[in-house]
Amino acid sequence: MLKSFIQIFSSLKLTVACLVLGCVIVFWGTIAQVHIGLYRAQAEVFHSLLIYWQPSGANWKIPIFPGGYLIAGVLLINLLVAHVRYYQLGRKKFGIALIHLGIVLMLLGQMLTDYLSVESVMHLRLGESKNYSESERGGEIAVIDTTDKNSYKVVAVPCDLLARRGDVRNPELPFDLHVKAYYANSQLSDKAAPGFEPVKATAGMGTSLWWRELPHETVMERTDIPSAIISITDAQGPVGTFLVSELLGQPQSFACNGRQYELVLRPERFYKPFSLQLIEFKHDRYPGTDIPKNFSSRVRLQRPDTHEDREVLIFMNNPLRFAGDTFYQASFDSDDRGSVLQVVHNPGWITPYLACALVGVGLTIQFLTHLIPFLKRRLA
């Protein structure tokens, strides 16, 4: 049994098959982006074990092709088993060992990036300062205790939990949240229209609105707009049923146990131990044209715990790397008075560099291992 396993997974034919399948899904995923969008293509083709086919209008699907994770996993096992089977200790094989180690590290690094990296944006207007970035596609329900005007207490619940519906309890809250309905993508209306249903809210801004569910957005320029109906209940009984949505644009206030609260559905926030303030934004153009030449943001970085206070210039191909985050100049406001920074947190960012370095050193050593004896024989 073990011998058969080793023979199958150390086969060179399996290596070639995985590489061919990898080329196929790269082509497939690239073409799929045109029809289903970048994010859905990534999830269904590259970040999956199997690629499924679903007939139009059907609620079932069948696997038709291996996904990116399955191909990469099999290739990783193939590489490790082949190395154990064929590798022999010795100076002449040291370069090959480094090459294999580099390739393994490259595959593992890509998987770590997929699971651990977080991308968000920080939108700053001139003079504005923020200590958080926001997700482009993830949302959260924020319950804010505003009783103390000098210090707000915020409890956030990710929308992933809302999608499960049911009760949401948090020891920091003196009441329970019950999700009666949740739409990952939605549309609101202030009057009855075909396809819309009345919002069953008893308090807040949703009592006179209608809503409907929309399919997931896959176009990069558009995002889902989540909405939910939340019922709040404390020990004395119901407090109210609220509609929360990113389309409302402002929090809704309510009182409970003598304290004042605000309820809002907003993009998920990632708080930082430092803040950035936009001091200046430049949108340079080529003389006599409207063709962009350069975008740059001059920001003030402040970190209270280390007393760091300095100005940083962020422009194309010159990001700010600080405290494990990388800030790229991504976009700007149409009036040139606001800047959008892409924030990337990737704990495994160094693995591709180490992997390439190991492969390069391994190739060099392996080349010299054969070149030096050859030159010695020529000289003799």
Side-chain angles (χ1 to χ4, degrees), residues 211-343:
W211 73 336
R212 69 173 179 176
E213 185 175 14
L214 297 177
H216 284 289
E217 288 287 357
T218 58
V219 180
M220 288 190 62
E221 291 76 15
R222 296 197 296 254
T223 60
D224 290 341
I225 306 295
S227 298
I229 297 178
I230 306 292
S231 177
I232 299 177
T233 306
D234 62 5
Q236 284 71 41
V239 176
T241 301
F242 296 82
L243 168 71
V244 291
S245 174
E246 290 187 13
L247 291 169
L248 296 178
Q250 59 182 348
Q252 303 173 76
S253 302
F254 66 94
C256 181
N257 296 326
R259 302 188 69 83
Q260 295 295 320
Y261 295 91
E262 288 183 349
L263 183 69
V264 61
L265 195 155
R266 66 191 187 188
E268 185 179 4
R269 293 184 178 182
F270 305 97
Y271 287 91
K272 316 294 180 184
F274 57 90
S275 64
L276 293 181
Q277 181 185 17
L278 182 61
I279 298 175
E280 180 186 37
F281 175 76
K282 285 187 176 182
H283 177 191
D284 301 326
R285 299 174 176 85
Y286 287 99
T289 71
D290 290 330
I291 301 175
K293 180 181 180 181
N294 181 51
F295 312 104
S296 63
S297 300
R298 184 174 297 278
V299 298
R300 182 182 181 185
L301 188 154
Q302 293 177 297
R303 182 164 182 170
D305 57 342
T306 60
H307 306 288
E308 189 166 359
D309 189 345
R310 58 189 173 94
E311 291 187 5
V312 181
L313 183 64
I314 303 173
F315 55 93
M316 303 299 292
N317 300 321
N318 187 68
L320 165 65
R321 292 183 171 88
F322 186 77
D325 292 330
T326 305
F327 295 81
Y328 298 91
Q329 180 66 58
S331 185
F332 58 94
D333 293 344
S334 58
D335 60 357
D336 288 347
R337 296 184 60 82
S339 177
V340 179
L341 303 177
Q342 186 80 18
V343 186

Side-chain angles (χ1 to χ4, degrees), residues 135-161:
S135 173
E136 291 184 284
R137 293 187 171 266
E140 65 182 14
I141 288 284
V143 182
I144 309 169
D145 187 342
T146 60
T147 307
D148 184 358
K149 300 303 180 183
N150 296 321
S151 177
Y152 288 178
K153 183 178 180 180
V154 181
V155 176
V157 180
C159 281
D160 291 342
L161 296 180

Side-chain angles (χ1 to χ4, degrees), residues 50-70:
L50 295 170
I51 300 175
Y52 293 87
W53 173 73
Q54 183 176 12
S56 179
N59 57 1
W60 53 271
K61 55 186 179 180
I62 58 174
I64 59 173
F65 205 79
Y69 281 165
L70 180 58

Side-chain angles (χ1 to χ4, degrees), residues 27-263:
F27 177 78
W28 191 343
T30 304
I31 298 301
Q33 293 177 24
V34 179
H35 304 285
I36 63 176
L38 173 63
Y39 296 102
R40 186 177 169 189
Q42 285 180 334
E44 295 183 2
V45 179
F46 301 113
H47 300 168
S48 63
L49 292 175
L50 295 170
I51 300 175
Y52 293 87
W53 173 73
Q54 183 176 12
S56 179
N59 57 1
W60 53 271
K61 55 186 179 180
I62 58 174
I64 59 173
F65 205 79
Y69 281 165
L70 180 58
I71 295 173
V74 172
L75 185 61
L76 180 61
I77 296 173
N78 172 246
L79 184 64
L80 292 174
V81 175
H83 186 72
V84 171
R85 180 182 179 182
Y86 296 113
Y87 178 70
Q88 298 176 355
L89 294 175
R91 186 180 60 184
K92 293 184 177 181
K93 301 293 183 180
F94 183 66
I96 295 178
L98 288 181
I99 295 171
H100 285 181
L101 180 61
I103 297 174
V104 169
L105 187 61
M106 191 176 298
L107 293 172
L108 292 177
Q110 181 58 48
M111 293 181 180
L112 286 175
T113 298
D114 290 343
Y115 280 102
L116 299 179
S117 65
V118 177
E119 293 189 13
S120 55
V121 296
M122 182 179 286
H123 183 192
L124 295 170
R125 297 287 292 175
L126 280 177
E128 185 181 17
S129 179
K130 285 184 179 179
N131 67 335
Y132 63 87
S133 59
E134 295 178 316
S135 173
E136 291 184 284
R137 293 187 171 266
E140 65 182 14
I141 288 284
V143 182
I144 309 169
D145 187 342
T146 60
T147 307
D148 184 358
K149 300 303 180 183
N150 296 321
S151 177
Y152 288 178
K153 183 178 180 180
V154 181
V155 176
V157 180
C159 281
D160 291 342
L161 296 180
L162 301 182
R164 303 174 186 175
R165 296 178 170 82
D167 293 330
V168 177
R169 294 184 174 90
N170 190 296
E172 300 292 331
L173 296 176
F175 46 78
D176 294 334
L177 305 178
H178 180 77
V179 184
K180 289 190 170 183
Y182 174 78
Y183 292 158
N185 191 23
S186 60
Q187 184 179 5
L188 302 183
S189 175
D190 58 359
K191 57 184 179 181
F196 285 82
E197 299 177 355
V199 175
K200 298 178 181 179
T202 62
M205 304 168 61
T207 54
S208 60
L209 296 177
W210 282 257
W211 73 336
R212 69 173 179 176
E213 185 175 14
L214 297 177
H216 284 289
E217 288 287 357
T218 58
V219 180
M220 288 190 62
E221 291 76 15
R222 296 197 296 254
T223 60
D224 290 341
I225 306 295
S227 298
I229 297 178
I230 306 292
S231 177
I232 299 177
T233 306
D234 62 5
Q236 284 71 41
V239 176
T241 301
F242 296 82
L243 168 71
V244 291
S245 174
E246 290 187 13
L247 291 169
L248 296 178
Q250 59 182 348
Q252 303 173 76
S253 302
F254 66 94
C256 181
N257 296 326
R259 302 188 69 83
Q260 295 295 320
Y261 295 91
E262 288 183 349
L263 183 69

